[in-house]
């Protein structure tokens, strides 16, 4: 296989997985590590990847970046607050909770001020800063590489942290929630972390305002069957709601 073709395949694999290990790449293409190292150096110089210790992350292109956090936070704000309140009502004092990144999950975090003896694990620095002001919460923040426009921690360090815990609840954000495409996200770089979160909690909840329902984003996180509850803000008609297999819960604003 020519180097150009191999490098194109590496980029294609990154879109699907969000992270690649250099040793695994050498095995996948049946070449030595020095060949893969040259490939990764080339892709990094051409600003198509970000190299990390032992692996590689995709570069966020301008077409695939998340909307800046300050803009997302203001969109459908009333609905997101209602979703956050509903989600908080599910959590009991003493529970352990994983909070994924996102503006809707942030509104859940706002509601946790009255809870006692919670343990919270998050990879969202905006959420971490907020919860650091709540003395009754035992806060754990993952390591990882920062996505600058959302202050989200991703990469193998973030994923490893979630693999080491098992929580009562996991609350995830999503760009799209579609009955066939499942839970989807804009950035492939977040996929390994989100997939690990799904494996690290007893009950898995997606928070998504009604504008996200029926929408497909670029990167597939999981099928609808892999989550337990989807909290949204507006009741769909019976036919549309039935496509989500009774997982929808509706918050009133």
């Amino acid at each position: 296989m020519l180097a150009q073709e191999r490098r194109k395949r590496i980029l294609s694999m990154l879109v699907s997985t969000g992270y690649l290990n250099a040793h695994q790449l050498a095995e996948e293409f049946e070449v030595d590590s020095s060949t893969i190292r040259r490939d990764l150096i080339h892709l990094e110089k051409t600003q198509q990847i970000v190299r990390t210790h032992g692996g590689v992350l995709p570069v966020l292109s301008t077409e695939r970046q998340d909307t800046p956090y300050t803009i997302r936070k203001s969109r459908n704000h009333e609905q997101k607050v209602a979703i956050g309140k509903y989600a908080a009502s599910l959590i009991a004092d003493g529970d352990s909770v994983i909070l994924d990144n996102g503006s809707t999950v942030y509104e859940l975090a706002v509601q946790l001020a009255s809870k006692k003896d919670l343990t919270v694990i998050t990879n969202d620095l905006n959420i971490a800063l907020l919860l650091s002001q709540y003395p009754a919460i035992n806060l754990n923040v993952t390591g990882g590489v920062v996505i600058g426009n959302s202050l989200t921690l991703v990469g193998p360090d973030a994923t490893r942290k979630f693999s080491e815990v098992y929580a009562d609840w996991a609350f995830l954000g999503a760009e799209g929630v579609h009955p066939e495409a499942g839970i989807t996200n804009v950035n492939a770089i977040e996929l390994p972390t989100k997939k690990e979160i799904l494996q690290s909690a007893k009950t898995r909840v997606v928070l998504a305002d009604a504008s996200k329902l029926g929408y497909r984003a670029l990167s597939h996180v999981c099928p609808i069957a892999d989550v337990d509850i989807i909290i949204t803000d507006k009741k769909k008609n019976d036919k549309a709601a039935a496509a989500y297999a009774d997982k929808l819960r509706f918050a009133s604003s």
Side-chain angles (χ1 to χ4, degrees), residues 87-88 90-99 108-109 111-121 131 134-140 168-169 171:
L90 302 176
I91 301 170
D93 291 345
D95 280 353
S96 53
V97 181
I98 293 172
L99 296 182
L108 163 58
Q111 302 300 321
L112 299 182
S114 62
K115 302 291 183 179
K116 297 179 176 63
D117 301 319
L118 290 187
T119 297
V120 176
I121 309 100
L131 295 184
Y134 299 173
I137 289 181
N138 175 25
L139 176 63
N140 293 264
D168 297 306
W169 299 92
F171 294 92

Side-chain angles (χ1 to χ4, degrees), residues 150-171:
S150 65
L151 293 182
T152 301
L153 294 163
V154 297
D157 290 337
T159 303
R160 187 181 308 110
K161 176 65 176 179
F162 289 121
S163 74
E164 295 170 351
V165 302
Y166 191 75
D168 297 306
W169 299 92
F171 294 92

Side-chain angles (χ1 to χ4, degrees), residues 16-224:
S16 300
T17 64
Y19 174 77
L20 294 172
N21 179 282
H23 177 71
Q24 293 173 333
L25 284 173
E27 291 185 344
E28 170 73 21
F29 293 106
E30 298 181 344
V31 296
D32 59 39
S33 58
S34 62
T35 300
I36 290 297
R37 191 180 309 114
R38 286 192 295 271
D39 288 337
L40 299 184
I41 289 171
H42 172 81
L43 292 172
E44 184 178 44
K45 284 183 176 179
T46 55
Q47 299 183 342
Q48 297 179 80
I49 64 166
V50 176
R51 293 174 71 199
T52 67
H53 180 68
V56 58
L57 297 167
V59 166
L60 298 177
S61 71
T62 55
E63 291 83 6
R64 294 177 182 173
Q65 282 187 36
D66 281 331
T67 304
Y69 185 81
T70 52
I71 295 176
R72 285 188 289 127
K73 194 171 185 297
S74 65
R75 287 179 178 170
N76 302 318
H77 183 253
E78 183 179 343
Q79 294 90 335
K80 291 175 181 179
V81 170
I83 291 169
K85 289 179 178 179
Y86 188 110
S89 74
L90 302 176
I91 301 170
D93 291 345
D95 280 353
S96 53
V97 181
I98 293 172
L99 296 182
D100 184 28
N101 69 301
S103 56
T104 311
V105 183
Y106 183 92
E107 296 302 332
L108 163 58
V110 170
Q111 302 300 321
L112 299 182
S114 62
K115 302 291 183 179
K116 297 179 176 63
D117 301 319
L118 290 187
T119 297
V120 176
I121 309 100
T122 187
N123 64 324
D124 185 308
L125 293 178
N126 291 296
I127 289 173
L129 182 60
L130 172 70
L131 295 184
S132 68
Q133 304 171 60
Y134 299 173
I137 289 181
N138 175 25
L139 176 63
N140 293 264
V141 183
T142 71
V145 178
V146 178
I147 301 177
N149 63 340
S150 65
L151 293 182
T152 301
L153 294 163
V154 297
D157 290 337
T159 303
R160 187 181 308 110
K161 176 65 176 179
F162 289 121
S163 74
E164 295 170 351
V165 302
Y166 191 75
D168 297 306
W169 299 92
F171 294 92
L172 291 92
E175 292 296 327
V177 178
H178 190 280
E180 296 174 2
I183 310 304
T184 56
N185 196 65
V186 170
N187 290 322
I189 195 172
E190 297 180 25
L191 290 185
T193 306
K194 287 182 179 289
K195 289 176 183 292
E196 192 59 54
I197 288 173
L198 289 165
Q199 301 298 316
S200 300
K202 180 180 179 181
T203 305
R204 300 149 302 178
V205 185
V206 171
L207 308 183
D209 67 72
S211 69
K212 308 290 181 63
L213 298 186
Y215 176 71
R216 306 180 190 215
L218 174 71
S219 303
H220 176 75
V221 177
C222 69
I224 295 292

